[in-house]
Amino acid sequence: MTAEHPTADTTTEPRIPHAAGTIGQSAAVSRSQPQSAAVSRSQPQSAAVSRSQPQSAAVSRSWATIDVGYRVLAVTRTVTSLDRILDILPALAGDLRIEVYFTVDAGSEFSSGVAEHIRNIGARIVSWDEAKRTRFQLIVAASDNSDLHELDGPLFLTPHGAGYQKYSPHSDPATGARTLSGFAPSALWHNGIPVPARIGLSHENQRAHLTAVAPELLDRTVVIGDPCLDRLTALTRDRDRLRRQLGLRRGQSLIVVTSTWGANSTIGQWPSLPADLLAQLPHDEFRVAAILHPNIWTYHGAWQIRQWLARARDAGLILVEATGPWKSLLAAADCVIGDHGSLSAYSTGLLRPLMLAAFGTAEVPPNTSMFELGQRLPHLAHDRPLAPQIRDAIDSVDDPLLERLADQVFEHRGASQTRARTVMYELLNLTPPPWSPLVPVPEHPEPLPGTVPRAFRVAVEIDHRSGEHRTLTLRRYPAILDNPAEHQHGNHLVVASNEPDERLAQNAAIVVADTSMTVDTAYDWAAETLGELPGCRIAAAASDDGTLFALLRDGRTISARAIDAPCDPHVLASALHYHLSNQAQGDTSPTLLITTGSQRATIEFHALP
């Protein structure tokens, strides 16, 4: 077996236990009739359907170009379960003997939009009724809530998150007892007969959870690892590119807010957190992104989510939609703020600094890694400044703790595709192809437009004066939000010319053109801008070479440029604002050394005729 990843466990393939030689014929387990010889419809038959065999298919093959002999059904119910299915199915890629169909069990509050997403990826959908009338050689599902017993074929059931670490929101209708999400009795049994042929686990210790629910099914479990974590790990090798595509500059830290769904989640408990972070974290040091559970998007609607987060988005929030490239964001993160959802577990697997903004303790079984995570990791405090807490989490991350928590959830890292493929081909009764499983091409986020604020409130801190260079630090905050700069002496408002908020434009000390211009064009534009905005003191525009041309209200013209590093026109404008203030006090030094985040630049100023 060829390793998919340098750290993959290549010592053993997953062994699928069966008592009678042929997979799926190992003593059909029945709660009501333990020794029943009947073969469950969920178990694979001893002979795979061949091309020449008649197929009792409601899915017609009359128009097929490639007439395959092995049909695989991917059962989806929510966007989350679809995402997990798409992590697993690449293990079958390239095999011309196999064709994959998708179906949606639309019985969930969160099924809306799933079929549309499947169509968007170009996959073929069959209705649930068609699926029930068709014999499949393999069925793959990542949700335990579907009516899986209605389907015909051997079922491979996997978790739709990071293992089995949360209680199901549905109690057992027979007993009223709480069950683990993923191990719903209705998905494991039907009329006393087991439904899944195989149950995929991410870690050996999850067998103990199944023992409490259905000990008779332990011989159907197989540890495959976690394909989602393996994809995340692969993405981290391309982290620099991901960060560039997200518009991050060197030295900026990406803070990713994650939220599961429900009242006890991050967003349920602290809905203003994205905006609060953007208001308190200097823009040149930090960027903020949010990954909300797809169920939040589905239940409340994408329009409503965007409305709720509109101010945060205008302030620079990178918001990942329900089917967006969330894995890329998590791989690119410098710090994650989460809750009791799976993305917190995945963050430990990536050794990302992790803080908790909320934690639904009542939703997490006490004998799980997730429960310990909630007890051991730092919690973000509402009533203290956020920036020092974030900096401390990044600087003092406890790698051994994160490793230990991850090791309790994820086994066989880097080998999940190989192990899942072994399970699926054995259920298919088909010899795997000679090549190693194909590694899915990493997803890359498109550059996200509109994520840079157009108005900044700027705080100025003087560091020291050395020789002819004055040195200061600029800390910029999105002006649309209440921020610390508003209360600091010497702060000023810099606004882009395309800022739609008239209030900000009218109160701006400086307006900066949103496009580059020649000097002549810049002069005409600046004169017009000062005429339209009587409160504005400086109108400035950058040329193609990065030099800033500025027209002052008193008629003077001045240029500013960075002589040793590229510099944002808005930063040049703030440097000019400070230079003019000092000049009024008799300081005639022509240069200024500024720091914004981790960037430093020497700025020189020239009066123009």
Side-chain angles (χ1 to χ4, degrees):
M1 180 177 70
T2 303
E4 177 187 342
H5 185 277
T7 60
D9 179 358
T10 59
T11 57
T12 59
E13 294 277 344
R15 184 179 65 84
I16 302 179
H18 44 87
T22 301
I23 193 165
Q25 295 184 340
S26 58
V29 180
S30 170
R31 287 194 160 179
S32 56
Q33 296 175 332
Q35 302 302 319
S36 170
V39 178
S40 164
R41 62 107 223 118
S42 65
Q43 294 173 307
Q45 305 302 307
S46 58
V49 177
S50 70
R51 291 174 185 258
S52 59
Q53 290 175 315
Q55 300 181 17
S56 58
V59 179
S60 173
R61 302 298 303 170
S62 301
W63 306 101
T65 298
I66 301 177
D67 188 17
V68 301
Y70 296 85
R71 297 176 176 179
V72 174
L73 181 67
V75 180
T76 61
R77 183 176 172 89
T78 63
V79 171
T80 308
S81 64
L82 173 60
D83 193 55
R84 175 48 55 95
I85 292 290
L86 294 176
D87 285 336
I88 292 174
L89 289 179
L92 303 176
D95 195 329
L96 298 177
R97 301 168 295 178
I98 295 172
E99 185 167 11
V100 179
Y101 299 82
F102 286 76
T103 192
V104 179
D105 177 10
S108 169
E109 285 281 353
F110 308 115
S111 296
S112 175
V114 177
E116 179 183 2
H117 184 46
I118 294 172
R119 293 188 184 95
N120 287 341
I121 66 174
R124 181 174 178 183
I125 303 179
V126 298
S127 70
W128 188 260
D129 286 340
E130 287 179 294
K132 289 194 297 182
R133 296 195 303 269
T134 304
R135 168 67 186 176
F136 292 94
Q137 283 67 57
L138 173 65
I139 300 168
V140 183
S143 172
D144 61 337
N145 292 318
S146 299
D147 295 323
L148 299 171
H149 65 275
E150 296 180 352
L151 302 172
D152 186 11
L155 171 65
F156 180 31
L157 182 63
T158 72
H160 63 264
Y164 303 90
Q165 301 200 83
K166 292 175 69 176
Y167 286 120
S168 170
H170 311 290
S171 60
D172 185 342
T175 65
R178 303 180 75 186
T179 59
L180 279 180
S181 180
F183 288 154
S186 60
L188 301 178
W189 301 94
H190 182 66
N191 292 335
I193 299 174
V195 177
R198 292 293 173 261
I199 301 172
L201 310 176
S202 66
H203 195 285
E204 177 73 27
N205 61 21
Q206 290 158 15
R207 287 196 167 103
H209 302 312
L210 183 61
T211 299
V213 180
E216 305 93 331
L217 301 186
L218 282 177
D219 67 342
R220 298 182 178 225
T221 60
V222 58
V223 180
I224 62 171
D226 192 295
C228 180
L229 179 63
D230 288 350
R231 293 193 70 177
L232 285 165
T233 302
L235 280 167
T236 60
R237 296 197 295 272
D238 206 16
R239 191 167 181 266
D240 289 343
R241 180 182 173 188
L242 295 175
R243 292 171 65 84
R244 287 194 302 271
Q245 286 185 296
L246 290 167
L248 271 74
R249 298 195 303 272
R250 182 174 59 86
Q252 277 186 316
S253 294
L254 177 61
I255 311 304
V256 177
V257 176
T258 70
S259 179
T260 189
W261 65 280
N264 295 318
S265 67
T266 298
I267 291 298
Q269 292 291 305
W270 196 343
S272 66
L273 177 58
D276 293 344
L277 289 167
L278 287 158
Q280 296 188 40
L281 300 178
H283 174 79
D284 296 295
E285 296 178 51
F286 299 94
R287 295 294 303 278
V288 178
I291 305 172
L292 308 185
H293 194 287
N295 288 1
I296 302 175
W297 290 91
T298 301
Y299 185 83
H300 293 287
W303 181 87
Q304 184 62 72
I305 297 298
R306 296 189 199 104
Q307 286 290 105
W308 280 333
L309 297 175
R311 295 179 73 246
R313 292 170 65 215
D314 283 349
L317 178 68
I318 302 172
L319 180 60
V320 184
E321 304 256 342
T323 57
W326 68 267
K327 293 184 181 73
S328 294
L329 266 293
L330 203 63
D334 294 286
C335 180
V336 177
I337 301 174
D339 50 24
H340 56 294
S342 290
L343 270 61
S344 292
Y346 288 129
S347 298
T348 68
L350 297 176
L351 298 182
R352 292 290 178 268
L354 176 63
M355 301 187 76
L356 300 173
F359 198 84
T361 303
E363 299 176 25
V364 181
N367 57 340
T368 59
S369 172
M370 182 61 70
F371 187 86
E372 183 180 358
L373 182 151
Q375 300 294 310
R376 298 291 304 276
L377 288 176
H379 288 243
L380 191 66
H382 293 240
D383 56 352
R384 290 164 43 205
L386 300 180
Q389 297 182 69
I390 300 295
R391 290 190 177 100
D392 184 61
I394 294 174
D395 293 340
S396 59
V397 58
D398 188 344
D399 283 345
L401 173 61
L402 296 179
E403 287 179 347
R404 185 166 60 79
L405 291 172
D407 286 344
Q408 295 173 22
V409 183
F410 308 112
E411 270 190 306
H412 307 296
R413 298 194 201 184
S416 63
Q417 285 286 340
T418 299
R419 300 178 72 83
R421 184 172 81 155
T422 298
V423 175
M424 290 190 286
Y425 275 97
E426 289 201 37
L427 290 174
L428 284 162
N429 284 324
L430 187 61
T431 301
W435 57 78
S436 297
L438 299 178
V439 178
V441 177
E443 57 177 342
H444 292 291
E446 295 296 325
L448 301 176
T451 57
V452 177
R454 290 181 287 261
F456 289 101
R457 178 67 63 176
V458 184
V460 179
E461 297 179 11
I462 301 172
D463 296 334
H464 63 274
R465 182 182 176 118
S466 176
E468 64 177 30
H469 288 298
R470 296 160 295 164
T471 303
L472 71 154
T473 297
L474 301 179
R475 290 195 169 89
R476 303 191 297 161
Y477 301 87
I480 193 174
L481 304 173
D482 295 336
N483 56 71
E486 293 181 347
H487 310 293
Q488 296 188 26
H489 177 72
N491 80 82
H492 57 274
L493 179 61
V494 183
V495 173
S497 60
N498 61 346
E499 169 57 56
D501 189 329
E502 186 67 15
R503 175 186 59 86
L504 292 174
Q506 291 292 343
N507 287 290
I510 309 167
V511 174
V512 180
D514 64 319
T515 58
S516 60
M517 301 179 183
T518 64
V519 172
D520 290 340
T521 303
Y523 184 90
D524 293 340
W525 168 85
E528 182 180 350
T529 298
L530 291 174
E532 293 174 349
L533 301 173
C536 178
R537 298 195 293 274
I538 304 171
S543 63
D544 288 337
D545 68 359
T547 300
L548 188 77
F549 169 86
L551 176 63
L552 312 187
R553 182 156 292 282
D554 62 10
R556 287 181 292 161
T557 55
I558 298 177
S559 70
R561 73 181 185 94
I563 60 177
D564 51 6
C567 198
D568 186 310
H570 289 245
V571 173
L572 286 173
S574 288
L576 175 60
H577 183 274
Y578 175 81
H579 169 75
L580 293 172
S581 299
N582 262 30
Q583 198 175 57
Q585 300 173 18
D587 189 340
T588 59
S589 175
T591 58
L592 179 65
L593 182 62
I594 62 169
T595 300
T596 53
S598 65
Q599 306 296 306
R600 304 190 77 185
T602 303
I603 313 300
E604 64 177 12
F605 307 96
H606 293 283
L608 300 176

